[in-house]
Amino acid sequence: ARHRDLRVRRFRVERNQRLILCMDTGLLMDEPLEDLQRLDHAIHASLLLSYFALRAGDLVGLYTYADTPKTWLSPTAGMRNFNRLKLACAGFHSEPVETNHVLGLHHLLSKLQRRTLVVIFSEFIDTTTAELMIETIERLLRKHLVLFVALDDPLIEKPFKECPETPEELAETLVTSDLKQERHKVLRHLQRKGVHIVHGSPEQAAT
């Protein structure tokens, strides 16, 4: 009204953001979930995310590690990059070795020069084995945004949906209850540190 003219404020979607899909290919990712390995579910979710990120104009890269750093594909824009990501994922397989999060994530940190969204697909057994992973993720958080994807095991979640009727079912429920509490304790700890958490069934988490 002050200029006696029509003014339009136009907002544009922010583009050229950097995204790294970081996948653990160690022993724990070999565990079957709903007839597929954890790693296969992680690959499916990664490709789904990369497809939409590339369509939005972002740069997508890929990194895998187990006992040592494995694959590194630098962030690149354009839908042509999607074929490169698919070919790389086709050759991934879980390895019968314990994952070295300190070495793997420290190597990733050395590769990242600009602020990046790092999506980590990994797995842990308990709070003790997750300590080193949490400490290393904290270093990533100093300069980057971290999203941790945890795929829930239906075998652990199932006993809580039904009331135990036999001593065996009761024992199973108690054991799975302890496992679930340990798992959620680690996820809450990561969340308090500033990590964004996505967890649920493989299908839900991918969506």
Side-chain angles (χ1 to χ4, degrees), residues 187-199:
L187 295 179
R188 286 195 299 270
H189 191 180
L190 284 170
Q191 200 166 27
R192 286 196 298 270
K193 295 291 183 180
V195 178
H196 296 270
I197 303 295
V198 171
H199 77 97

Side-chain angles (χ1 to χ4, degrees), residues 102-113:
V102 176
L103 179 60
L105 295 178
H106 181 74
H107 181 75
L108 172 61
L109 185 58
S110 68
K111 292 282 189 180
L112 303 178
Q113 304 301 322

Side-chain angles (χ1 to χ4, degrees), residues 150-163:
L151 303 177
D152 293 341
D153 189 345
L155 293 178
I156 294 180
E157 303 295 331
K158 182 179 177 181
F160 296 92
K161 297 180 180 179
E162 301 175 0
C163 181

Side-chain angles (χ1 to χ4, degrees), residues 15 49-60 77-79 82:
R15 300 180 185 275
L49 177 58
S50 64
Y51 178 79
F52 286 100
L54 290 170
R55 283 191 61 183
D58 296 326
L59 290 78
V60 181
M79 290 306 296
F82 186 66

Side-chain angles (χ1 to χ4, degrees), residues 20 47 54 59-62 71-90 92:
I20 290 293
L47 290 176
L54 290 170
L59 290 78
V60 181
L62 185 65
T71 305
W72 165 253
L73 296 178
S74 57
T76 307
M79 290 306 296
R80 291 182 179 179
N81 186 33
F82 186 66
N83 291 328
R84 184 181 69 144
L85 296 172
K86 284 196 300 183
L87 289 174
C89 289
F92 292 164

